[in-house]
Each structure stands twice: as C-alpha cells, then as structure tokens.
Amino acid sequence: MVISSKTLPDKTVERLSQYRRNLLICLAKGKQHIFSHEIAQLHHITPVQVRRDIMLIGYSGTLRKGYDVKELIDLIGKILDTDEGLRVGVIGVGNLGRSLIGYFNGKRSKLSIVAGFDANPDKVDKVYAGVHCYHFDKLSEIIARENISIGIITVPAEQAADVAEKLVIAGIKGILNFTPKPLNVSPHVYLQEYDMVTSLEKVAYFVKKQAGI
Ligand code: NAD
C-alpha cells in the first residue's frame, strides 16, 4: 500500500473524513468488507467518485469483496491524522465557542481543543467542558506553550480580521472561521470558512424549488 505524498483536493479530503466516520460505524456493526457502491449510497454520491477518491490515496479493493473496512479506516487515518495529534484553540468562548468545545472534545483522539481565549474578563480563568479559557492578550504565549497549530474563530464578525492576524503572528498553521466575515490570511496558513447562513439558504432554495413556491 503506497501513501501518496501529493496534496489531495479539498473535496477529496472532506469526503475521506466522511467515509471514515461511516466506515467506523460499519466496523462497529461487524462489517469487514464494503463495496464502492455501498459507500456511495451512504454519501449520496456515485461509486465512480468513491473509487476515484480511494485510488488517490493509493488503495484498491477486490472485485469479489470490495474494500477491507479496517484497512481503509487505518489508511485514511494515516492520510488525515498526525501521529501525535494536533492541538486546537478556540478564540471567542461565547455561545458557539462553548458549544464547539463541549461537542468536539473526546470525539477525535488526534484532534483536541486544549485552550479557549476570550476578551471578556468574566470568562477568563474559567474552565468550559474541561478546557481552560485564557485572556486573549495571552494568545501568543499560550499558543507557543501548548503547541497549538489550529485556531477556531468564534468572535463577533467585526473582530474576526484582527483575531486572524494575531493568530498568524502567533504562528498558527490552520484557521477555521465560523464568523460571517471572509478573511485574508497568509498563503502559508490553511483557511477554512464555515458559513452556516449559506448552508441554510441553500436548503431554503431547494425547498422553495421543490415546493414550487
Ligand atoms: P457570542 O457573543 O455569544 O460570543 C462571542 C465571544 O467572543 C464573546 O464571549 C466575546 O467576549 C468574545 N470576544 C469578542 N471580541 C473578542 C476578541 N477580540 N478576542 C477574543 N474574544 C472576543 O457570539 P456567538 O453566538 O458565539 O457567535 C460567535 C461568532 O460565530 C459570530 O461571528 C457569529 O456570527 C458566528 N456564528 C454563530 C453561530 C451560533 O449558532 N451562535 C452560528 C454561526 C456563526
């Protein structure tokens, strides 16, 4: 099995993460092999797309049995995870920041939220779902000390650009931006924008079309 050192397309990386989640469920149910059309059905995509994604990571199944579920999970793990895991900080420990901390911790052994940051003194030095909240002024110091490489931005939109700039200066490698403010960061930092409003408006558009409204 050869693991490709080439950078995979964004959408393939997203699908690999989604495949792994469902493959883990299949494995827990005792399923040892799976065909591309079964994976495709779970994800509402074509078997060709599944085979293309899995070929890109240098794996192939057999005609008779399909893919070995455990092997595929392990291989996706090798592609997506690092051995030691990556450490994450949440900037803005408000409604969304606290929900993410509460939801995410414990879900992925190779990704852990290890610190929160907030500008509100009432939140500083409090612990949310086991995660300490530091004052935003300590961002650089804590990022270096805790070896944090990913920052999740959950501050009000008007603060997002300033927070992103400080994260980049502090040496962060990846940013997940939950605010509606699109950001510009150095090309050395991987930026993912998550826009809940667009997702909901997309659903609304298709509901409208289907209902003929
Ligand atoms: P919130 O007001 O509850 O929380 C924002 C937090 O950021 C507060 O604790 C505030 O003290 C802190 N903050 C403000 N400026 C800061 C700074 N410069 N540095 C560090 N901390 C700072 O807001 P929320 O509902 O959690 O939303 C946060 C962001 O996420 C917003 O941009 C919002 O549009 C977006 N968002 C929220 C939701 C949601 O479900 N709540 C959904 C999608 C997107």
Side-chain angles (χ1 to χ4, degrees), residues 91-99 117-121 123 135-136 153-160 162-163 177-181 194-197:
I91 301 86
V93 186
N95 290 313
L96 184 59
R98 288 199 304 274
S99 304
F117 299 90
D118 206 285
N120 180 346
K123 295 185 178 167
H135 196 283
F136 185 62
I153 304 183
T154 47
V155 295
E158 59 276 13
Q159 301 292 321
D162 178 60
V163 167
N177 174 30
F178 271 97
T179 80
K181 163 96 183 124
Y194 186 82
D195 187 349
M196 222 178 266
V197 175

Side-chain angles (χ1 to χ4, degrees), residues 25-184:
I25 295 170
C26 291
L27 192 68
K29 288 182 183 161
K31 189 169 172 65
Q32 287 172 5
H33 291 88
I34 192 162
F35 289 104
S36 56
H37 68 82
E38 293 175 286
I39 300 179
Q41 207 169 21
L42 289 169
H43 297 275
H44 314 295
I45 53 175
T46 64
V48 172
Q49 182 69 73
V50 172
R51 287 196 291 274
R52 199 177 293 149
D53 287 336
I54 294 175
M55 248 161 56
L56 276 175
I57 62 171
Y59 191 59
S60 50
T62 64
L63 267 181
R64 209 167 55 83
K65 284 182 158 180
Y67 302 109
D68 181 304
V69 174
K70 175 82 175 55
E71 272 183 18
L72 189 49
I73 291 170
D74 289 347
L75 180 60
I76 294 175
K78 284 192 180 111
I79 303 277
L80 299 185
D81 303 332
T82 60
D83 287 346
E84 324 74 51
L86 292 177
R87 295 161 73 78
V88 182
V90 172
I91 301 86
V93 186
N95 290 313
L96 184 59
R98 288 199 304 274
S99 304
L100 290 172
I101 292 171
Y103 172 77
F104 204 77
N105 264 357
K107 286 254 178 345
R108 283 273 166 273
S109 60
K110 298 294 184 183
L111 276 176
S112 39
I113 296 177
V114 295
F117 299 90
D118 206 285
N120 180 346
D122 292 344
K123 295 185 178 167
V124 172
D125 288 336
K126 301 250 163 56
V127 174
Y128 297 95
V131 173
H132 191 104
C133 179
Y134 298 91
H135 196 283
F136 185 62
D137 288 351
K138 290 198 165 175
L139 189 77
S140 282
E141 177 192 332
I142 304 299
I143 281 178
R145 192 186 80 194
E146 295 290 331
N147 195 20
I148 294 171
S149 54
I150 298 175
I152 301 180
I153 304 183
T154 47
V155 295
E158 59 276 13
Q159 301 292 321
D162 178 60
V163 167
E165 194 185 323
K166 293 197 168 113
L167 280 169
V168 174
I169 292 168
I172 216 82
K173 303 285 187 292
I175 292 177
L176 175 56
N177 174 30
F178 271 97
T179 80
K181 163 96 183 124
L183 298 173
N184 283 313

